[in-house]
Amino acid sequence: MSTPLFSAAKLNKANPNQKPKILVVDDEQDNLDLLYRTFRKEFVVFRANSGFKALEILAQEGEMAAIISDQRMPEMKGTEFLRLTVSDFPDTMRIVLTGYTDITDLIDAINSGQVHKYITKPWEPDQLKLVVSEATQNYDLLKQRSEELSRSRAQNALLSAIVEITQSSYQISNCVLPLASAFWQNFGADAVILQLVEHGTLTDTQAICGNSYWDLATDPLVHTAIATGQSQVCLNVDDPDQQYKTNIAIAITFREEVLGIFSMRWLSPNAISSGDVTAIQQCADEVAIALTCIRYYAQL
């Protein structure tokens, strides 16, 4: 089997210059302004003057690379607020600013993994920058490992489903919908179309998973994938009229023959990584073998 290559022109990676997001929480406005000025060049900085306001920001803006919170605040202490963020954002790095000597709460929070580090007030800007830089690097590593684990689980589940579908299918037409459904579910696409190809032309055999339909015959990514045998990927569709912002057309190829196309779409841009695309392609290569086997035994 010849594994298709990805078209480099179509692989639009996420902006590497995009700033990480951090949240600073302090009930004193002067401290909030100082923290903002300290980090605004390197990060997208969100500010909250209480733990309750910070929780509202997290609910709206989503995960942060790091949260810097004052400990002594009215209504809710910093460690109490940070504890509430652990279940929803386990990878976020949490840093506490404290200006008093009783650190029992901090020790408990650090020992339980809820706080990455604490800094005493008044803090040295360079020291705080160093701590936050280290924390965001740790966050990046954690996210990378979490994504790799999630991708590995999805890929293993999908490969198992492919084997099961292959063993229970005696006709090509019977396996198209189960295969499309397996790709749809395991990689979280908003919509998936699997359509078979014969002699370089799309056939009428297809399966649709999701709430939308598009004509693969008019999709330029699909045309290029069939013509070249190379999977086509667009991670950021720059067209306001297009509903889906991440589009991929995965070529199912065996011995340089395109057997079918997985057209997968997501509503958000950069919904998957290049590692996800590679995993999807590897599973599509297994589908190519499965389709070839089913076709062979159907002819016996």
Side-chain angles (χ1 to χ4, degrees):
M1 178 178 60
S2 176
T3 302
L5 300 175
F6 294 114
S7 171
K10 295 294 184 180
L11 187 52
N12 301 322
K13 295 183 179 180
N15 183 2
N17 298 319
Q18 185 175 3
K19 295 180 180 179
K21 297 191 298 183
I22 66 171
L23 172 63
V24 295
V25 189
D26 199 307
D27 62 307
E28 297 182 20
Q29 189 62 44
D30 289 344
N31 287 339
L32 277 182
D33 293 339
L34 177 57
L35 290 167
Y36 177 78
R37 291 195 301 270
T38 300
F39 294 107
R40 65 180 179 177
K41 290 184 179 180
E42 292 81 17
F43 302 95
V44 177
V45 184
F46 296 89
R47 290 173 281 185
N49 58 11
S50 71
F52 292 108
K53 178 61 176 178
L55 291 173
E56 292 178 1
I57 291 175
L58 289 171
Q60 180 177 355
E61 300 294 338
E63 187 173 70
M64 304 284 167
I67 301 174
I68 307 169
S69 176
D70 185 31
Q71 170 64 359
R72 182 179 287 183
M73 295 186 293
E75 298 180 341
M76 185 187 299
K77 292 188 292 186
T79 49
E80 294 177 13
F81 152 65
L82 292 173
R83 185 170 60 250
L84 296 176
T85 69
V86 173
S87 60
D88 288 334
F89 309 109
D91 294 332
T92 294
M93 296 288 107
R94 299 166 182 82
I95 300 166
V96 172
L97 303 176
T98 180
Y100 62 101
T101 58
D102 183 7
I103 60 171
T104 302
D105 290 339
L106 290 178
I107 293 174
D108 291 341
I110 291 172
N111 288 340
S112 63
Q114 297 168 0
V115 170
H116 175 65
K117 280 191 177 180
Y118 73 91
I119 300 292
T120 56
K121 297 168 64 176
W123 63 84
E124 291 290 337
D126 289 342
Q127 179 193 12
L128 185 56
K129 282 184 177 181
L130 183 62
V131 169
V132 173
S133 176
E134 178 196 52
T136 54
Q137 289 175 16
N138 289 341
Y139 167 81
D140 289 339
L141 289 174
L142 282 173
K143 291 304 295 180
Q144 181 180 349
R145 290 171 184 170
S146 296
E147 290 171 1
E148 288 174 352
L149 179 59
S150 176
R151 180 165 56 244
S152 177
R153 288 174 175 170
Q155 187 175 7
N156 289 338
L158 184 50
L159 289 173
S160 296
I162 292 170
V163 171
E164 183 177 348
I165 293 166
T166 304
Q167 292 175 341
S168 60
S169 299
Y170 298 95
Q171 297 291 332
I172 291 287
S173 58
N174 294 337
C175 69
V176 175
L177 179 57
L179 286 171
S181 180
F183 274 73
W184 178 48
Q185 294 174 4
N186 284 286
F187 278 96
D190 291 298
V192 172
I193 296 177
L194 167 58
Q195 191 160 348
L196 299 187
V197 174
E198 288 185 5
H199 308 298
T201 303
L202 290 164
T203 71
D204 293 333
T205 304
Q206 67 171 204
I208 304 167
C209 294
N211 297 322
S212 297
Y213 170 77
W214 55 96
D215 187 357
L216 268 59
T218 63
D219 187 334
L221 293 185
V222 172
H223 272 286
T224 304
I226 294 175
T228 64
Q230 298 178 353
S231 294
Q232 303 295 302
V233 180
C234 186
L235 299 181
N236 193 354
V237 177
D238 188 17
D239 185 347
D241 295 329
Q242 291 294 323
Q243 178 185 15
Y244 294 101
K245 300 303 180 182
T246 299
N247 296 349
I248 65 176
I250 301 295
I252 306 169
T253 306
F254 185 81
R255 293 182 178 176
E256 300 183 358
E257 179 187 359
V258 179
L259 306 180
I261 294 290
F262 275 111
S263 181
M264 305 176 68
R265 297 191 175 187
W266 290 258
L267 293 171
S268 59
N270 300 299
I272 55 174
S273 68
S274 57
D276 294 328
V277 175
T278 299
I280 292 171
Q281 180 66 67
Q282 290 171 347
C283 291
D285 292 343
E286 297 301 319
V287 169
I289 296 174
L291 292 178
T292 302
C293 291
I294 295 171
R295 179 182 294 174
Y296 172 78
Y297 285 109
Q299 294 172 351
L300 294 180

